[in-house]
Amino acid sequence: MTRALLVIDMQRGFDDLEFWGPTVNPDCEANVAALVERWIADEEPVVVVRHDSRSVDSPLHAASPGNALVDAVAAVEPALLVTKNVNSAFYGDPDLHAWLGDRGIRDVVICGIQTNMCVETTARMAGNLGYDVTVVLDATRTFDLSAEVAGVGAVTRTASELMTTTALVLERGGFARIALTADVI
């Protein structure tokens, strides 16, 4: 056992497009399911990460039905379930880094939601911690993002632009390799 699949925040609350806004990659869930199926067939560990938002207004709040995992992930008996309330799975409970280290796992393959938030943050930390990291881009998705940014002004990026930027930053920054589901399975 030298690699683990990290499935980040595949939760029903992300289907609430009135809350999150426009998204891309409708194949994300099917691609995550294919990865999970492959890992189980290969008897390799699947780590499921769930975001338990502290905000009572969030679809990901622990008391919200949106906190539940999507069917493809809920059906899995994970090797480890990590709960978190921040972007990185490495700041969750139980301690992901310790769990991976205890098992000698040095390669992590990451998929899930949101590409430019929890997936990217987890990948960056994994890279900084010395793991060999692969992000399966077509097994992730995100949402359009707009904000008024000090010194910049109004900024809007589409979900597609954010996914592309994340892929570029992770690959060129040396944090992770970017791959597609078909290449990984």
Side-chain angles (χ1 to χ4, degrees), residues 55-80:
S55 170
V56 295
D57 298 328
S58 171
L60 303 180
H61 186 270
S64 169
N67 184 265
L69 298 168
V70 300
D71 290 345
V73 178
V76 173
E77 181 67 38
L80 180 69

Side-chain angles (χ1 to χ4, degrees), residues 97-161:
H97 183 53
W99 186 88
L100 293 167
D102 288 348
R103 285 149 186 80
I105 297 171
R106 299 306 312 153
D107 296 346
V108 293
V109 177
I110 303 174
C111 61
I113 303 172
Q114 295 184 62
T115 314
N116 57 308
M117 301 286 185
C118 297
V119 170
E120 182 175 344
T121 303
T122 299
R124 284 173 176 252
M125 284 198 68
N128 284 339
L129 289 168
Y131 293 95
D132 185 10
V133 182
T134 301
V135 172
V136 186
L137 193 64
D138 65 347
T140 73
R141 72 179 173 111
T142 195
F143 307 87
D144 290 4
L145 195 59
S146 296
E148 188 69 32
V149 179
V152 178
V155 178
T156 299
R157 295 293 181 266
T158 66
S160 182
E161 290 170 327

Side-chain angles (χ1 to χ4, degrees), residues 11-13 20 50-69 81 83-85:
Q11 293 166 258
R12 294 184 181 278
W20 299 104
R50 187 185 70 221
H51 192 95
D52 292 345
S53 176
R54 289 185 239 171
S55 170
V56 295
D57 298 328
S58 171
L60 303 180
H61 186 270
S64 169
N67 184 265
L69 298 168
L81 172 65
T83 59
K84 64 179 182 59
N85 56 36

Side-chain angles (χ1 to χ4, degrees), residues 13-38:
F14 283 116
D15 292 334
D16 183 351
L17 300 184
E18 286 185 31
F19 185 87
W20 299 104
T23 189
V24 292
N25 192 16
D27 295 330
C28 173
E29 189 171 337
N31 289 334
V32 169
L35 290 167
V36 167
E37 183 178 306
R38 178 56 186 255

